[in-house]
Amino acid sequence: MSQNAVVLDAPIPEPRARTAEALQAEILEKLTYSVGKDPIVARPHDWLKATILAVRDRIIDLWMESSRATWRTSEKRVYYLSLEFLIGRLMRDAMSNIGLMEPVKLALKNLNVDLGDLINLEPDAALGNGGLGRLAACFMDSMSTLKIPAYGYGIRYQNGMFRQEMSEGWQVELPEDWLAHGNPWEFERRESTYDIGFGGQVVPVSEPDGTTRLEWRPAEHFLAVAFDTPIVGWRGARVNTLRLWSAQPVDPIYLDKFNNGDHIGALEESSRAEAISRVLYPADSTPSGQELRLRQEYFFSSASLQDIVRRHMQQYGDLGSLPDKVAIQLNDTHPAISIAELMRILIDTHGMKFAQAWKLTRGTFGYTNHTLLPEALETWPVALLERLLPRQMQLIYAINAEVLAEARKVAGFNDQQIAAVSLIDEGGARRVRMGQLAFVGSHSVNGVSALHTELMKKTVFYDLHKLYPERINNKTNGVTPRRWLMECNPGLTRLITDRIGPEFQDNIDLLSQLDRHADDPNFQEQFAAVKRANKVRLTEIIKDRLNFAVSPDALFDVHVKRIHEYKRQLLNVIQAVAQYQSIKAHPETDWVPRVKVFAGKAAPSYWNAKLIIKLINDVAKVVNNDPSVRELLKVVFLPNYNVSLAEIVMPAADLSEQISTAGLEASGTGNMKFAINGAVTIGTLDGANIEMLDAVGKDNMIIFGLTAEEVTAKRARTEVPRSAIDNSPALREALEMIASGVFSPDDPNRYRDLVGGLYDHDWFMVARDFDAYAAAQAEVDRLWQNSRKWYSMAIRNTAHMGWFSSDRTIRQYAEDIWHVPVR
């Protein structure tokens, strides 16, 4: 502790100057002495690194002071465990949050360097896939902004989520090389290296006092090495840490094998280690793929928990205070093995009794559930866990015995209910239910929208909710307005500032003041001009990446998100086919010109999702090259959707497609990002759409389709969807065109099974919602033709998105779950 005292009492360096002149001098110094380049020959990537290093220095000063303050005050820390952190580019975010955007821009201008070019050159961190990872990134921003001491924990993926390219309309997965040239934002922490074991056996060990304890002796050992990235809050309020784990071998090379000529086998240990932190979501369609996923989840969970316990012991010296000083939030089910791992650390390493360890564990963990889809509520074969993590499996059995005894003796559960709450699914091959483990091992279990939370109680956690009726609560998701309005849409931010003042940047609830300007023709004209400029920017991206021109004066109808059948990109493209047919049949009609923009990645092993991408591209090829359609309908699929592309697409959208099958989208955050940028939502009563409808009013969103209750009822009746298709001429013709090969002349049967699934079961209610969706799209056309009405709606969407800030969400977590103060 004396060493810590010396560090904490060390003098705080004077803050670095933030003038353009000071930054210009420091950028040149970094370029020369850190990058090793003469300005005369420096390339753009050299200037980028030098600029990042100059900005980073000013963040480090705040970072160190934030850490010192937490040690001095012994504040409770929040630890956010997530398999994804979709943080995107960091330089613009950092500059904006500490007020350096204009000084750096001027400093670089004086050096004949354009800041915009450098921002576009920075690679996206390939640490996530979709909404789950982007939510984690927004939460890290908000925790720093609200001055909550926090760490984010995840994996430092070497290649992350794949880079998506198109080959004749098919998705092709290529490795993402975002770390190929290093990452100037991160710091390796060699002192924070932990041993991670797999396999082996559990053996009884006799203690001197005659007692026996169990000791896990793994057969494999790898190292988890920490890499830290500073996450700075708005106005530099606080800088928190994103700590990512890289898997490394204990011995990088077997020299004996190498010297004996087995040069490949000598690197076997390195290959096994590096595979753990190589790729996000490796395909789990094979047993080896499943094992690698479990290894990833345990690897980062164990490393994070060892780090948390080490830090707590270093400051407090006693684990009895763990729930008072530590809050660990599990972001979905991926880190659920943390429950068993913390129990192992408390019992095996620190000698606690089971009862005390279980009390501390439940007092420390909170669990956020993000989905009701069975495939996302992970289960692992018991045999796999017993082989790979034998001690943790023993503890899962012990936890299960505790829970089942409580269910039987305290709650009086019958055999059917006991089977439902058990951590072990005994139906068929025995599997461990990781969602159940996360639930029973946490003091709080939250959904991410009001509807989702209620459905959790009625469906996947019905019996657990009866056993622990006070545990489930709701925390509707949010997005950070810093990145998703102020940074990605500077034109709209300036317009809002001119109209209501700059105070909304510090209190996003003040956006509501825009409502009274929504019907002002002058403001509508200015708002439309900003929107059109953003659309021009997107047309340039489309032209650059696809060599294809679209008009910025068309209605931009945007559907960008992970490709999944429940998100119903298929419904959208079928309606596009029906629209295409109608335009050809009735050229005299006054059609609204539309550009349908799709983007998103399909999981490598998800065949139907990949087939939907191919269908979108096949439809685009036909529609976009048909002269009879003129400029009335264009279909675009933008490959490799990521945060940086989203920052261009969302401000340009006129219409936001949020059309998931009701009851399956937990919340959505894309819906919020589009709306705050002035897009009108067409959507189902699903996820956070419901709360958005309450906020913006039914006159400012376009809602259609079956409700969650109606979907459940239709599935229960197992009614055949064929009648819905037969009774809808437009749908029937569109499906016949797709199934017969009109869009796939090279393979007429390509989509026969995809379409056949709509006739046979239509699980995601594509056919049964089609007519309602088509009518809603016709309503969109009608509204668009009345520009005053349209921009009144768009402005009111922006005006009423303040509640959907991640700052509000984090305040609720802090007050209700973590019990930490918010400043």
Side-chain angles (χ1 to χ4, degrees):
M1 295 298 291
S2 61
Q3 288 183 334
N4 289 332
V6 170
V7 172
L8 294 178
D9 292 338
I12 300 171
E14 290 294 321
R16 289 167 173 78
R18 300 188 178 190
T19 63
E21 294 77 13
L23 284 159
Q24 179 179 335
E26 191 165 339
I27 290 170
L28 281 172
E29 182 181 3
K30 296 293 184 185
L31 183 72
T32 305
Y33 297 108
S34 296
V35 182
K37 278 292 185 75
D38 187 311
I40 297 172
V41 296
R43 308 292 294 174
H45 62 265
D46 299 318
W47 288 109
L48 172 64
K49 184 173 181 180
T51 304
I52 287 175
L53 293 176
V55 172
R56 192 185 73 174
D57 282 354
R58 285 151 179 80
I59 293 171
I60 289 171
D61 293 337
L62 298 169
W63 196 13
M64 291 183 174
E65 175 51 29
S66 296
S67 297
R68 289 190 185 100
T70 304
W71 276 91
R72 281 196 303 267
T73 59
S74 297
E75 292 178 285
K76 187 175 186 179
R77 293 178 175 90
V78 172
Y79 297 100
Y80 198 79
L81 272 60
S82 179
L83 206 57
E84 296 186 45
F85 284 94
L86 200 56
I87 56 177
R89 293 166 173 163
L90 289 178
M91 186 170 76
R92 186 185 63 185
D93 195 55
M95 290 189 301
S96 176
N97 279 4
I98 59 173
L100 285 181
M101 189 71 78
E102 290 306 317
V104 169
K105 184 177 181 179
L106 181 56
L108 288 171
K109 183 179 179 182
N110 293 338
L111 296 167
N112 297 315
V113 178
D114 182 72
L115 175 59
D117 291 343
L118 299 192
I119 289 173
N120 292 331
L121 191 61
E122 184 181 10
D124 272 52
L127 299 171
N129 174 31
L132 181 82
R134 186 52 231 172
L135 181 78
C138 285
F139 280 5
M140 290 298 297
D141 175 282
S142 286
M143 284 188 276
S144 293
T145 296
L146 298 175
K147 298 185 179 181
I148 296 172
Y151 273 75
Y153 281 113
I155 295 178
R156 181 181 180 264
Y157 301 103
Q158 190 75 22
N159 298 113
M161 194 64 182
F162 60 85
R163 186 174 82 255
Q164 181 194 54
E165 292 189 3
M166 294 293 122
S167 176
E168 298 183 348
W170 290 101
Q171 171 179 290
V172 176
E173 300 99 24
L174 298 171
E176 184 63 80
D177 59 352
W178 74 288
L179 284 174
H181 304 292
N183 176 10
W185 290 108
E186 70 182 8
F187 296 83
E188 182 179 0
R189 305 300 193 197
R190 287 181 290 175
E191 71 281 6
S192 296
T193 298
Y194 299 97
D195 181 89
I196 310 296
F198 293 100
Q201 57 185 333
V202 180
V203 298
V205 177
S206 297
E207 296 285 40
D209 62 0
T211 60
T212 300
R213 64 178 178 84
L214 295 175
E215 181 178 287
W216 179 32
R217 295 177 182 172
E220 295 180 89
H221 294 268
F222 300 106
L223 299 177
V225 180
F227 287 79
D228 287 356
T229 298
I231 304 295
V232 61
W234 180 239
R235 310 287 191 197
R238 180 182 174 86
V239 180
N240 282 322
T241 301
L242 175 59
R243 174 159 287 186
L244 302 175
W245 301 105
S246 176
Q248 298 182 15
V250 175
D251 294 311
I253 186 172
Y254 293 139
L255 276 177
D256 55 342
K257 285 189 176 184
F258 193 88
N259 290 331
N260 287 328
D262 187 3
H263 303 142
I264 303 299
L267 300 175
E268 180 183 353
E269 184 80 357
S270 290
S271 297
R272 277 206 304 269
E274 291 169 4
I276 294 174
S277 53
R278 176 68 68 179
V279 173
L280 170 66
Y281 298 143
D284 60 355
S285 53
T286 63
S288 59
Q290 291 178 24
E291 180 174 324
L292 180 55
R293 280 211 189 187
L294 180 56
R295 283 176 179 264
Q296 286 185 328
E297 293 177 6
Y298 175 72
F299 165 79
F300 103 92
S301 296
S302 178
S304 303
L305 291 171
Q306 289 184 62
D307 198 46
I308 292 167
V309 170
R310 186 269 310 162
R311 185 176 297 109
H312 183 84
M313 289 294 291
Q314 186 177 350
Q315 185 162 9
Y316 302 107
D318 173 48
L319 288 171
S321 61
L322 201 64
D324 300 321
K325 295 297 182 181
V326 169
I328 303 174
Q329 193 69 30
L330 304 178
N331 190 30
D332 214 11
T333 314
H334 309 119
I337 194 65
S338 297
I339 304 294
E341 177 63 3
L342 182 57
M343 290 290 287
R344 183 192 70 81
I345 292 170
L346 295 178
I347 293 170
D348 294 2
T349 305
H350 293 275
M352 283 190 191
K353 298 297 183 184
F354 181 92
Q356 183 188 8
W358 186 230
K359 180 180 179 182
L360 294 179
T361 295
R362 286 199 292 186
T364 301
F365 278 108
Y367 163 48
T368 301
N369 173 273
H370 283 277
T371 183
L372 305 175
L373 292 173
E375 65 265 28
L377 284 170
E378 292 178 318
T379 64
W380 297 113
V382 168
L384 175 60
L385 270 163
E386 287 179 332
R387 175 173 59 83
L388 206 61
L389 302 170
R391 180 58 177 144
Q392 290 76 6
M393 191 63 228
Q394 285 182 344
L395 290 165
I396 289 171
Y397 279 130
I399 293 167
N400 198 38
E402 186 83 5
V403 171
L404 297 187
E406 187 176 357
R408 180 79 74 185
K409 295 174 183 176
V410 178
F413 274 23
N414 59 36
D415 289 346
Q416 184 178 353
Q417 291 172 307
I418 290 289
V421 300
S422 175
L423 305 187
I424 314 296
D425 183 357
E426 304 285 357
R430 300 172 71 235
R431 301 180 72 89
V432 179
R433 296 161 163 162
M434 303 306 286
Q436 312 274 80
L437 177 61
F439 190 111
V440 302
S442 301
H443 65 89
S444 165
V445 177
N446 71 279
V448 290
S449 73
L451 174 64
H452 170 235
T453 300
E454 288 308 306
L455 289 175
M456 281 170 57
K457 297 175 183 178
K458 297 174 182 177
T459 58
V460 292
F461 295 132
Y462 176 78
D463 290 286
L464 280 171
H465 176 56
K466 283 185 171 295
L467 183 58
Y468 305 111
E470 305 301 322
R471 196 163 295 187
I472 295 179
N473 60 93
N474 179 55
K475 300 289 174 283
T476 298
N477 284 342
V479 301
T480 170
R482 270 78 63 182
R483 184 179 286 260
W484 294 110
L485 173 61
M486 300 173 202
E487 293 171 30
C488 75
N489 202 340
L492 182 56
T493 301
R494 286 192 294 270
L495 179 62
I496 296 169
T497 301
D498 290 344
R499 183 57 60 126
I500 67 171
E503 292 80 8
F504 78 95
Q505 297 179 26
D506 297 292
N507 180 3
I508 198 66
D509 291 339
L510 295 178
L511 268 183
S512 61
Q513 295 177 5
L514 277 182
D515 187 89
R516 63 176 178 265
H517 303 286
D519 296 319
D520 180 343
N522 180 54
F523 186 67
Q524 288 183 354
E525 184 177 332
Q526 293 172 314
F527 193 94
V530 169
K531 178 66 73 173
R532 190 181 189 281
N534 291 331
K535 291 166 72 173
V536 168
R537 183 172 62 155
L538 179 55
T539 65
E540 292 168 353
I541 292 290
I542 294 170
K543 178 67 174 176
D544 180 61
R545 299 188 184 182
L546 301 177
N547 193 28
F548 178 67
V550 297
S551 170
D553 296 313
L555 186 156
F556 276 29
D557 177 350
V558 181
H559 198 166
V560 295
K561 54 183 74 234
R562 179 166 53 94
I563 309 297
H564 196 291
E565 287 171 282
Y566 92 82
K567 293 179 183 288
R568 299 205 294 191
Q569 288 91 352
L570 182 58
L571 173 60
N572 192 344
V573 73
I574 291 171
Q575 193 274 328
V577 170
Q579 182 90 339
Y580 168 62
Q581 185 67 12
S582 295
I583 291 171
K584 288 171 64 71
H586 300 285
E588 76 285 357
T589 301
D590 186 18
W591 298 102
V592 169
R594 279 201 195 217
V595 177
K596 279 186 169 285
V597 179
F598 295 87
K601 296 178 181 180
S605 58
Y606 191 173
W607 171 250
N608 270 8
K610 297 173 83 166
L611 193 60
I612 289 167
I613 292 176
K614 174 62 173 169
L615 175 60
I616 293 168
N617 283 308
D618 278 350
V619 169
K621 185 189 299 183
V622 172
V623 171
N624 297 343
N625 291 297
D626 188 337
S628 69
V629 179
R630 294 159 285 164
E631 297 298 311
L632 297 177
L633 181 63
K634 298 295 180 184
V635 179
V636 173
F637 188 93
L638 282 168
N640 206 39
Y641 184 57
N642 58 16
V643 175
S644 296
L645 181 56
E647 291 171 344
I648 295 170
V649 169
M650 288 175 171
D654 294 307
L655 185 68
S656 164
E657 296 272 355
Q658 308 299 329
I659 61 174
S660 55
T661 308
L664 294 183
E665 185 71 83
S667 169
T669 53
N671 46 6
M672 305 166 192
K673 296 165 194 166
F674 279 112
I676 201 170
N677 281 284
V680 175
T681 298
I682 181 171
T684 51
L685 285 171
D686 196 27
N689 285 357
I690 297 170
E691 287 148 287
M692 286 175 56
L693 182 65
D694 291 339
V696 306
K698 61 181 177 62
D699 293 334
N700 300 304
M701 285 177 69
I702 300 157
I703 299 298
F704 75 94
L706 300 169
T707 65
E709 292 78 8
E710 289 167 340
V711 169
T712 300
K714 284 187 177 293
R715 286 176 177 166
R717 290 198 297 269
T718 63
E719 60 181 42
V720 178
R722 183 176 292 273
S723 60
I725 298 172
D726 291 340
N727 293 329
S728 173
L731 174 59
R732 187 176 63 251
E733 287 184 27
L735 293 180
E736 288 172 355
M737 288 178 71
I738 294 168
S740 65
V742 169
F743 301 101
S744 55
D746 58 317
D747 182 2
N749 293 322
R750 180 179 295 145
Y751 303 112
R752 191 172 298 278
D753 290 342
L754 188 66
V755 169
L758 302 184
Y759 280 92
D760 295 338
H761 54 81
D762 190 27
W763 183 256
F764 297 102
M765 304 290 152
V766 170
R768 283 170 281 201
D769 261 350
F770 177 83
D771 283 348
Y773 180 57
Q777 290 286 18
E779 176 68 3
V780 169
D781 285 352
R782 186 187 69 78
L783 291 166
W784 177 260
Q785 289 171 322
N786 182 348
S787 61
R788 288 207 57 185
K789 172 60 177 173
W790 183 271
Y791 284 107
S792 170
M793 295 170 65
I795 292 165
R796 286 195 165 92
N797 270 269
T798 297
H800 293 288
M801 280 299 109
W803 190 82
F804 296 94
S805 164
S806 52
D807 294 352
R808 183 270 312 156
T809 311
I810 289 299
R811 282 193 185 94
Q812 292 180 342
Y813 274 96
E815 293 168 2
D816 301 341
I817 299 174
W818 304 332
H819 306 298
V820 296
V822 175
R823 298 173 182 82

